[in-house]
Amino acid sequence: MTSYLHSTEAYSQSELLSDISPEGQADIFKAGHRNSYNAGEILFHEGDQAFRCYFVQSGRIKVSILHEEGKEAILRYVLPGEFMAAIAVFRGKTYPATASAVGPVSAISWDRTTMITLMHLYPPLAVNMLRVVVDRLDEVQKRYLELSAEQVAQRIARALLRMMKTSGRKTDEGIVIDFRLSRQDLADYTGTTLFSVSRVLSKWEKMGHIKSGRERIVITDAHALVAVTENS
Amino acid sequence: MTSYLHSTEAYSQSELLSDISPEGQADIFKAGHRNSYNAGEILFHEGDQAFRCYFVQSGRIKVSILHEEGKEAILRYVLPGEFMAAIAVFRGKTYPATASAVGPVSAISWDRTTMITLMHLYPPLAVNMLRVVVDRLDEVQKRYLELSAEQVAQRIARALLRMMKTSGRKTDEGIVIDFRLSRQDLADYTGTTLFSVSRVLSKWEKMGHIKSGRERIVITDAHALVAVTENS
DNA sequence: GCCGACTCTTGCGCCAGCGCAAAGAGATCT
DNA sequence: AGATCTCTTTGCGCTGGCGCAAGAGTCGGC
């Protein structure tokens, strides 16, 4: 069994904290508050004043933006060991997206003034922030290209592989994606509809590439999904 | 007639240079090299080592990413007064996209070592960079949502209105988009095909919303386009 | 002023993907 | 255990948008 954050040592994995001493990191975490959220609970809404930023300890957080008439685009899933909304808080703006807990989540959070203080105490934080946001920009741009150039099946395959890499847990059935993931979520993540996702997954299940149940997907033949990805 | 950069005074418009004294700004520009590019000329390719970054003085630069099999997504048009690729150079990575001159372009460019030196001399540069990249991230995310939620006509209307705002020039015909913009470009910008764009524009021309010619679009009824945008 | 290269238009056929509805399969609560 | 709620599947019809091909318009070079 693989997991990403058993204890506090794993903090240093975060890209935001590189080049900061272990003591400094401990200091930073001590300045934050521990929070827990239930499945489905909303941490903040798009447009709210950005008062607090978060570090995810366990669970997954869904970050999405909404369009009029209910359409939702999932921008990313925040994994344990990652920061969220740090930049919005630093800049003192509103949150650019909505964050909600996928399952039970525990996190550490800081308010704006604390964060600003920490940034003065630990200068690498600012540089790391720039790096993080650039990486994120690159990723969104790549997904933008995929959305405009690829077909639904291709995009779904890519999404599953990505989730497998970041949240896969090996079982005897195959590699299970380790959080609640509905057809609707996958549709919102890939820019299609619940129905299309359902049809594609059903087909793949018959072909033996995956197994799936309610909000649960197991990848049994990752290689086949890669082939879908490459096949125009 | 409106133009965005008649002389060097306009430099200070750039978001990257705010909180830097006029002398400092002059200093920064003196450290760069003046370059000229012909229409269609490529400044750099996606994947190249990022050696130089640019400040556009006049003309437009098209920033795009390529998908296998020729599909192209236009991420943005860089306008006079804007910086380009500053972050890629700062981070010492490869360019994440390809940049090409839309018409004749004049620009100022800096190499990596010069830039790093300047960043030490003028600390606000780093903070401004963070702000710029965050704004860009917000914009791509917004376009990602549009691409996944809206229809072709809506996206084209939005694109035209955006270009009208940033590059519109008032004439007696209406507001002309002041650079060469082909149907294919508009298609690559909105994630559709040349044909669909052509059909939509033809329709709008018949309805009197726009006038158009070869690589040239004049908006005669912006309000009607806004209506298309809002109308689901 | 003619030629060649490029851009744009439009008709036609087609299909990927959407939307709906109705039924099935799991969860959860009492 | 039964009731209820949510999530998922699947058939059916439809249509927005794609792809191609043929032709017309436009520009620039020689």
Side-chain angles (χ1 to χ4, degrees):
Chain A
M1 172 180 148
T2 327
S3 178
Y4 280 81
L5 202 72
H6 287 295
S7 59
T8 50
E9 289 95 276
Y11 287 163
S12 57
Q13 285 187 344
S14 171
E15 19 176 19
L16 207 62
L17 298 179
S18 58
D19 301 327
I20 295 179
S21 68
E23 305 84 54
Q25 296 189 16
D27 216 43
I28 291 172
F29 281 108
K30 256 180 273 166
H33 281 208
R34 205 177 213 94
N35 306 93
S36 291
Y37 303 91
N38 298 322
E41 200 170 336
I42 289 182
L43 282 78
F44 52 79
H45 283 97
E46 182 179 349
D48 289 353
Q49 261 301 319
F51 288 130
R52 302 191 77 76
C53 70
Y54 302 82
F55 173 87
V56 178
Q57 290 187 292
S58 68
R60 297 283 183 289
I61 290 175
K62 185 172 89 172
V63 176
S64 56
I65 40 183
L66 296 172
H67 197 265
E68 305 86 82
E69 327 299 336
K71 293 235 183 190
E72 175 180 353
I74 297 178
L75 293 175
R76 66 185 190 109
Y77 283 95
V78 183
L79 308 173
E82 291 185 353
F83 281 84
M84 175 177 67
I87 295 133
V89 171
F90 168 64
R91 290 205 47 198
K93 291 245 167 173
T94 58
Y95 294 112
T98 300
S100 61
V102 173
V105 163
S106 84
I108 295 175
S109 72
W110 296 263
D111 62 29
R112 183 167 153 72
T113 51
T114 307
M115 243 199 83
I116 305 273
T117 308
L118 289 172
M119 289 195 61
H120 283 115
L121 284 172
Y122 302 101
L125 270 179
V127 180
N128 291 343
M129 253 174 156
L130 184 57
R131 200 170 51 216
V132 167
V133 68
V134 169
D135 287 345
R136 205 151 296 159
L137 179 60
D138 286 350
E139 201 201 318
V140 181
Q141 287 178 351
K142 206 178 138 209
R143 283 185 60 198
Y144 182 88
L145 177 62
E146 288 168 12
L147 188 55
S148 78
E150 297 181 349
Q151 319 224 76
V152 165
Q154 254 179 107
R155 303 203 303 267
I156 296 175
R158 240 183 247 287
L160 291 183
L161 290 170
R162 206 167 286 174
M163 290 167 178
M164 185 185 86
K165 277 195 203 96
T166 60
S167 303
R169 189 168 46 86
K170 204 161 187 175
T171 68
D172 45 356
E173 281 185 310
I175 298 165
V176 59
I177 292 173
D178 207 11
F179 60 95
R180 289 174 156 279
L181 178 70
S182 71
R183 303 293 184 268
Q184 182 67 60
D185 289 333
L186 208 38
D188 292 339
Y189 187 81
T190 55
T192 180
T193 61
L194 186 164
F195 308 104
S196 296
V197 170
S198 179
R199 281 183 259 266
V200 168
L201 293 190
S202 293
K203 193 184 73 179
W204 288 347
E205 184 139 24
K206 277 171 198 139
M207 297 169 74
H209 302 165
I210 63 166
K211 290 181 185 184
S212 78
R214 185 195 173 95
E215 296 184 322
R216 183 172 161 283
I217 295 174
V218 185
I219 293 161
T220 53
D221 185 356
H223 207 273
L225 294 185
V226 173
V228 172
T229 274
E230 287 164 351
N231 177 0
S232 140
Chain B
M1 171 178 151
T2 327
S3 177
Y4 281 81
L5 202 74
H6 288 293
S7 59
T8 49
E9 290 94 275
Y11 287 164
S12 56
Q13 285 189 343
S14 170
E15 17 175 20
L16 206 63
L17 299 179
S18 59
D19 300 328
I20 294 180
S21 68
E23 305 84 51
Q25 297 188 17
D27 217 42
I28 290 172
F29 281 106
K30 259 180 270 169
H33 281 209
R34 208 180 209 89
N35 305 95
S36 292
Y37 302 91
N38 298 320
E41 201 170 336
I42 289 182
L43 282 77
F44 53 79
H45 283 97
E46 181 179 348
D48 289 353
Q49 261 301 319
F51 288 129
R52 303 191 75 78
C53 70
Y54 302 82
F55 174 86
V56 179
Q57 291 187 290
S58 68
R60 296 283 183 291
I61 290 176
K62 185 172 88 171
V63 177
S64 57
I65 41 182
L66 296 172
H67 197 262
E68 305 87 80
E69 328 301 334
K71 292 237 184 187
E72 176 181 352
I74 297 179
L75 293 176
R76 66 185 189 111
Y77 283 94
V78 183
L79 308 173
E82 291 186 353
F83 281 84
M84 175 176 69
I87 296 131
V89 172
F90 169 63
R91 291 206 47 199
K93 291 245 166 173
T94 58
Y95 293 112
T98 300
S100 61
V102 173
V105 163
S106 83
I108 294 174
S109 73
W110 296 263
D111 62 26
R112 182 166 154 73
T113 52
T114 306
M115 243 199 82
I116 304 273
T117 308
L118 289 171
M119 289 193 61
H120 283 115
L121 283 172
Y122 302 101
L125 270 179
V127 180
N128 292 343
M129 255 176 158
L130 184 58
R131 198 170 52 215
V132 167
V133 67
V134 168
D135 287 345
R136 205 151 297 159
L137 180 60
D138 286 350
E139 201 201 319
V140 180
Q141 286 178 350
K142 205 177 139 210
R143 284 186 58 199
Y144 182 88
L145 177 62
E146 287 167 14
L147 188 55
S148 79
E150 297 181 349
Q151 319 226 80
V152 166
Q154 250 177 109
R155 303 203 302 267
I156 296 176
R158 241 183 246 287
L160 291 183
L161 290 171
R162 208 168 286 174
M163 290 168 179
M164 185 186 86
K165 277 195 203 100
T166 60
S167 303
R169 188 169 46 86
K170 205 161 188 174
T171 69
D172 45 355
E173 281 187 309
I175 297 166
V176 58
I177 293 174
D178 207 12
F179 60 94
R180 290 174 153 278
L181 179 69
S182 71
R183 304 292 185 268
Q184 183 67 60
D185 289 334
L186 208 37
D188 292 340
Y189 188 82
T190 55
T192 179
T193 62
L194 186 163
F195 309 104
S196 297
V197 171
S198 179
R199 280 183 258 264
V200 169
L201 293 191
S202 293
K203 194 184 72 180
W204 287 346
E205 185 138 25
K206 277 169 198 139
M207 297 170 75
H209 302 166
I210 63 166
K211 289 180 186 184
S212 79
R214 185 194 173 96
E215 295 184 322
R216 182 171 161 284
I217 296 173
V218 185
I219 293 160
T220 52
D221 185 356
H223 207 273
L225 294 185
V226 173
V228 172
T229 274
E230 288 164 350
N231 176 1
S232 140

PDB file of all heavy atoms in Angstrom, chain A residues 11-21 25 83 122-125 127-128 131-132:
ATOM      1  N   TYR A  11       6.084  16.768   5.087  1.00  0.00           N
ATOM      2  CA  TYR A  11       5.885  18.180   4.784  1.00  0.00           C
ATOM      3  C   TYR A  11       6.871  18.706   3.753  1.00  0.00           C
ATOM      4  O   TYR A  11       6.524  19.447   2.857  1.00  0.00           O
ATOM      5  CB  TYR A  11       6.058  19.016   6.055  1.00  0.00           C
ATOM      6  CG  TYR A  11       4.910  18.880   7.009  1.00  0.00           C
ATOM      7  CD1 TYR A  11       5.047  19.270   8.329  1.00  0.00           C
ATOM      8  CD2 TYR A  11       3.688  18.370   6.595  1.00  0.00           C
ATOM      9  CE1 TYR A  11       3.997  19.149   9.214  1.00  0.00           C
ATOM     10  CE2 TYR A  11       2.639  18.246   7.474  1.00  0.00           C
ATOM     11  CZ  TYR A  11       2.795  18.635   8.794  1.00  0.00           C
ATOM     12  OH  TYR A  11       1.751  18.526   9.657  1.00  0.00           O
ATOM     13  N   SER A  12       8.119  18.304   3.925  1.00  0.00           N
ATOM     14  CA  SER A  12       9.166  18.880   3.086  1.00  0.00           C
ATOM     15  C   SER A  12       9.006  18.512   1.616  1.00  0.00           C
ATOM     16  O   SER A  12       9.659  19.064   0.755  1.00  0.00           O
ATOM     17  CB  SER A  12      10.534  18.427   3.583  1.00  0.00           C
ATOM     18  OG  SER A  12      10.578  17.019   3.590  1.00  0.00           O
ATOM     19  N   GLN A  13       8.105  17.557   1.333  1.00  0.00           N
ATOM     20  CA  GLN A  13       7.829  17.230  -0.061  1.00  0.00           C
ATOM     21  C   GLN A  13       7.252  18.414  -0.821  1.00  0.00           C
ATOM     22  O   GLN A  13       7.409  18.525  -2.022  1.00  0.00           O
ATOM     23  CB  GLN A  13       6.807  16.096  -0.142  1.00  0.00           C
ATOM     24  CG  GLN A  13       7.376  14.736   0.201  1.00  0.00           C
ATOM     25  CD  GLN A  13       6.359  13.641  -0.074  1.00  0.00           C
ATOM     26  OE1 GLN A  13       5.173  13.929  -0.235  1.00  0.00           O
ATOM     27  NE2 GLN A  13       6.821  12.405  -0.164  1.00  0.00           N
ATOM     28  N   SER A  14       6.556  19.273  -0.084  1.00  0.00           N
ATOM     29  CA  SER A  14       5.863  20.357  -0.772  1.00  0.00           C
ATOM     30  C   SER A  14       6.831  21.290  -1.484  1.00  0.00           C
ATOM     31  O   SER A  14       7.804  21.760  -0.920  1.00  0.00           O
ATOM     32  CB  SER A  14       5.037  21.158   0.231  1.00  0.00           C
ATOM     33  OG  SER A  14       4.547  22.313  -0.418  1.00  0.00           O
ATOM     34  N   GLU A  15       6.502  21.550  -2.734  1.00  0.00           N
ATOM     35  CA  GLU A  15       7.340  22.421  -3.551  1.00  0.00           C
ATOM     36  C   GLU A  15       7.450  23.823  -2.952  1.00  0.00           C
ATOM     37  O   GLU A  15       8.428  24.514  -3.171  1.00  0.00           O
ATOM     38  CB  GLU A  15       6.739  22.508  -4.952  1.00  0.00           C
ATOM     39  CG  GLU A  15       5.285  22.090  -5.014  1.00  0.00           C
ATOM     40  CD  GLU A  15       4.653  22.270  -6.372  1.00  0.00           C
ATOM     41  OE1 GLU A  15       5.391  22.382  -7.378  1.00  0.00           O
ATOM     42  OE2 GLU A  15       3.421  22.327  -6.428  1.00  0.00           O
ATOM     43  N   LEU A  16       6.438  24.194  -2.189  1.00  0.00           N
ATOM     44  CA  LEU A  16       6.434  25.545  -1.645  1.00  0.00           C
ATOM     45  C   LEU A  16       7.473  25.735  -0.546  1.00  0.00           C
ATOM     46  O   LEU A  16       7.889  26.851  -0.251  1.00  0.00           O
ATOM     47  CB  LEU A  16       5.035  25.870  -1.090  1.00  0.00           C
ATOM     48  CG  LEU A  16       4.641  27.339  -1.064  1.00  0.00           C
ATOM     49  CD1 LEU A  16       4.612  27.895  -2.471  1.00  0.00           C
ATOM     50  CD2 LEU A  16       3.310  27.528  -0.400  1.00  0.00           C
ATOM     51  N   LEU A  17       7.906  24.617   0.042  1.00  0.00           N
ATOM     52  CA  LEU A  17       8.792  24.732   1.198  1.00  0.00           C
ATOM     53  C   LEU A  17      10.240  24.379   0.904  1.00  0.00           C
ATOM     54  O   LEU A  17      11.060  24.331   1.823  1.00  0.00           O
ATOM     55  CB  LEU A  17       8.266  23.835   2.334  1.00  0.00           C
ATOM     56  CG  LEU A  17       6.874  24.211   2.835  1.00  0.00           C
ATOM     57  CD1 LEU A  17       6.432  23.262   3.925  1.00  0.00           C
ATOM     58  CD2 LEU A  17       6.867  25.645   3.333  1.00  0.00           C
ATOM     59  N   SER A  18      10.558  24.144  -0.350  1.00  0.00           N
ATOM     60  CA  SER A  18      11.944  23.780  -0.618  1.00  0.00           C
ATOM     61  C   SER A  18      12.860  24.957  -0.303  1.00  0.00           C
ATOM     62  O   SER A  18      12.448  26.115  -0.337  1.00  0.00           O
ATOM     63  CB  SER A  18      12.114  23.332  -2.070  1.00  0.00           C
ATOM     64  OG  SER A  18      11.715  24.342  -2.938  1.00  0.00           O
ATOM     65  N   ASP A  19      14.076  24.636   0.062  1.00  0.00           N
ATOM     66  CA  ASP A  19      15.074  25.629   0.483  1.00  0.00           C
ATOM     67  C   ASP A  19      14.713  26.296   1.804  1.00  0.00           C
ATOM     68  O   ASP A  19      15.170  27.398   2.093  1.00  0.00           O
ATOM     69  CB  ASP A  19      15.285  26.722  -0.588  1.00  0.00           C
ATOM     70  CG  ASP A  19      15.750  26.128  -1.910  1.00  0.00           C
ATOM     71  OD1 ASP A  19      16.474  25.116  -1.863  1.00  0.00           O
ATOM     72  OD2 ASP A  19      15.376  26.662  -2.959  1.00  0.00           O
ATOM     73  N   ILE A  20      13.869  25.634   2.569  1.00  0.00           N
ATOM     74  CA  ILE A  20      13.599  26.120   3.922  1.00  0.00           C
ATOM     75  C   ILE A  20      13.997  25.009   4.891  1.00  0.00           C
ATOM     76  O   ILE A  20      13.665  23.844   4.674  1.00  0.00           O
ATOM     77  CB  ILE A  20      12.111  26.493   4.094  1.00  0.00           C
ATOM     78  CG1 ILE A  20      11.783  27.688   3.189  1.00  0.00           C
ATOM     79  CG2 ILE A  20      11.791  26.826   5.549  1.00  0.00           C
ATOM     80  CD1 ILE A  20      10.340  28.131   3.246  1.00  0.00           C
ATOM     81  N   SER A  21      14.689  25.393   5.944  1.00  0.00           N
ATOM     82  CA  SER A  21      15.211  24.399   6.889  1.00  0.00           C
ATOM     83  C   SER A  21      14.076  23.657   7.580  1.00  0.00           C
ATOM     84  O   SER A  21      12.974  24.190   7.716  1.00  0.00           O
ATOM     85  CB  SER A  21      16.055  25.103   7.949  1.00  0.00           C
ATOM     86  OG  SER A  21      15.210  25.899   8.756  1.00  0.00           O
ATOM     87  N   GLN A  25      10.411  25.016   8.607  1.00  0.00           N
ATOM     88  CA  GLN A  25       9.159  24.392   8.182  1.00  0.00           C
ATOM     89  C   GLN A  25       8.275  24.103   9.392  1.00  0.00           C
ATOM     90  O   GLN A  25       7.062  24.362   9.372  1.00  0.00           O
ATOM     91  CB  GLN A  25       9.449  23.106   7.413  1.00  0.00           C
ATOM     92  CG  GLN A  25      10.217  23.358   6.119  1.00  0.00           C
ATOM     93  CD  GLN A  25      10.321  22.117   5.249  1.00  0.00           C
ATOM     94  OE1 GLN A  25       9.594  21.145   5.441  1.00  0.00           O
ATOM     95  NE2 GLN A  25      11.226  22.153   4.285  1.00  0.00           N
ATOM     96  N   PHE A  83      -0.172  22.857  -1.138  1.00  0.00           N
ATOM     97  CA  PHE A  83      -0.782  24.084  -0.658  1.00  0.00           C
ATOM     98  C   PHE A  83      -1.886  24.507  -1.610  1.00  0.00           C
ATOM     99  O   PHE A  83      -1.877  24.154  -2.786  1.00  0.00           O
ATOM    100  CB  PHE A  83       0.249  25.201  -0.575  1.00  0.00           C
ATOM    101  CG  PHE A  83       1.120  25.104   0.637  1.00  0.00           C
ATOM    102  CD1 PHE A  83       2.240  24.284   0.635  1.00  0.00           C
ATOM    103  CD2 PHE A  83       0.806  25.819   1.781  1.00  0.00           C
ATOM    104  CE1 PHE A  83       3.042  24.184   1.762  1.00  0.00           C
ATOM    105  CE2 PHE A  83       1.609  25.726   2.900  1.00  0.00           C
ATOM    106  CZ  PHE A  83       2.724  24.910   2.900  1.00  0.00           C
ATOM    107  N   TYR A 122      10.813  33.918   5.933  1.00  0.00           N
ATOM    108  CA  TYR A 122      11.390  32.889   5.063  1.00  0.00           C
ATOM    109  C   TYR A 122      11.288  33.300   3.591  1.00  0.00           C
ATOM    110  O   TYR A 122      10.358  32.913   2.883  1.00  0.00           O
ATOM    111  CB  TYR A 122      10.672  31.560   5.299  1.00  0.00           C
ATOM    112  CG  TYR A 122      10.746  31.116   6.735  1.00  0.00           C
ATOM    113  CD1 TYR A 122       9.670  31.293   7.596  1.00  0.00           C
ATOM    114  CD2 TYR A 122      11.920  30.547   7.246  1.00  0.00           C
ATOM    115  CE1 TYR A 122       9.747  30.906   8.925  1.00  0.00           C
ATOM    116  CE2 TYR A 122      11.998  30.165   8.571  1.00  0.00           C
ATOM    117  CZ  TYR A 122      10.910  30.334   9.413  1.00  0.00           C
ATOM    118  OH  TYR A 122      11.008  29.960  10.716  1.00  0.00           O
ATOM    119  N   PRO A 123      12.282  34.031   3.128  1.00  0.00           N
ATOM    120  CA  PRO A 123      12.258  34.565   1.756  1.00  0.00           C
ATOM    121  C   PRO A 123      12.071  33.517   0.662  1.00  0.00           C
ATOM    122  O   PRO A 123      11.444  33.823  -0.356  1.00  0.00           O
ATOM    123  CB  PRO A 123      13.627  35.241   1.618  1.00  0.00           C
ATOM    124  CG  PRO A 123      14.044  35.545   3.011  1.00  0.00           C
ATOM    125  CD  PRO A 123      13.492  34.455   3.858  1.00  0.00           C
ATOM    126  N   PRO A 124      12.598  32.290   0.818  1.00  0.00           N
ATOM    127  CA  PRO A 124      12.387  31.325  -0.278  1.00  0.00           C
ATOM    128  C   PRO A 124      10.915  31.110  -0.610  1.00  0.00           C
ATOM    129  O   PRO A 124      10.582  30.719  -1.727  1.00  0.00           O
ATOM    130  CB  PRO A 124      13.018  30.042   0.256  1.00  0.00           C
ATOM    131  CG  PRO A 124      14.028  30.488   1.241  1.00  0.00           C
ATOM    132  CD  PRO A 124      13.451  31.718   1.875  1.00  0.00           C
ATOM    133  N   LEU A 125      10.044  31.366   0.350  1.00  0.00           N
ATOM    134  CA  LEU A 125       8.609  31.168   0.103  1.00  0.00           C
ATOM    135  C   LEU A 125       8.134  31.896  -1.146  1.00  0.00           C
ATOM    136  O   LEU A 125       7.388  31.330  -1.950  1.00  0.00           O
ATOM    137  CB  LEU A 125       7.796  31.671   1.300  1.00  0.00           C
ATOM    138  CG  LEU A 125       7.483  30.678   2.415  1.00  0.00           C
ATOM    139  CD1 LEU A 125       6.686  31.365   3.522  1.00  0.00           C
ATOM    140  CD2 LEU A 125       6.684  29.501   1.863  1.00  0.00           C
ATOM    141  N   VAL A 127       9.842  32.933  -3.841  1.00  0.00           N
ATOM    142  CA  VAL A 127      10.361  32.330  -5.059  1.00  0.00           C
ATOM    143  C   VAL A 127       9.640  31.025  -5.364  1.00  0.00           C
ATOM    144  O   VAL A 127       9.258  30.748  -6.503  1.00  0.00           O
ATOM    145  CB  VAL A 127      11.877  32.071  -4.945  1.00  0.00           C
ATOM    146  CG1 VAL A 127      12.406  31.438  -6.223  1.00  0.00           C
ATOM    147  CG2 VAL A 127      12.615  33.362  -4.634  1.00  0.00           C
ATOM    148  N   ASN A 128       9.427  30.239  -4.323  1.00  0.00           N
ATOM    149  CA  ASN A 128       8.727  28.965  -4.513  1.00  0.00           C
ATOM    150  C   ASN A 128       7.311  29.183  -5.026  1.00  0.00           C
ATOM    151  O   ASN A 128       6.807  28.421  -5.854  1.00  0.00           O
ATOM    152  CB  ASN A 128       8.672  28.195  -3.206  1.00  0.00           C
ATOM    153  CG  ASN A 128      10.046  27.698  -2.789  1.00  0.00           C
ATOM    154  OD1 ASN A 128      10.973  27.644  -3.610  1.00  0.00           O
ATOM    155  ND2 ASN A 128      10.205  27.358  -1.530  1.00  0.00           N
ATOM    156  N   ARG A 131       7.325  29.688  -8.636  1.00  0.00           N
ATOM    157  CA  ARG A 131       7.538  28.429  -9.332  1.00  0.00           C
ATOM    158  C   ARG A 131       6.253  27.607  -9.379  1.00  0.00           C
ATOM    159  O   ARG A 131       5.885  27.045 -10.406  1.00  0.00           O
ATOM    160  CB  ARG A 131       8.647  27.648  -8.630  1.00  0.00           C
ATOM    161  CG  ARG A 131       9.278  26.599  -9.507  1.00  0.00           C
ATOM    162  CD  ARG A 131      10.520  26.023  -8.871  1.00  0.00           C
ATOM    163  NE  ARG A 131      10.256  25.590  -7.511  1.00  0.00           N
ATOM    164  CZ  ARG A 131      11.133  25.701  -6.523  1.00  0.00           C
ATOM    165  NH1 ARG A 131      12.322  26.224  -6.736  1.00  0.00           N
ATOM    166  NH2 ARG A 131      10.835  25.284  -5.311  1.00  0.00           N
ATOM    167  N   VAL A 132       5.581  27.566  -8.246  1.00  0.00           N
ATOM    168  CA  VAL A 132       4.339  26.783  -8.171  1.00  0.00           C
ATOM    169  C   VAL A 132       3.300  27.310  -9.149  1.00  0.00           C
ATOM    170  O   VAL A 132       2.682  26.551  -9.897  1.00  0.00           O
ATOM    171  CB  VAL A 132       3.769  26.807  -6.742  1.00  0.00           C
ATOM    172  CG1 VAL A 132       2.342  26.282  -6.727  1.00  0.00           C
ATOM    173  CG2 VAL A 132       4.645  25.994  -5.814  1.00  0.00           C
TER     174      VAL A 132
END
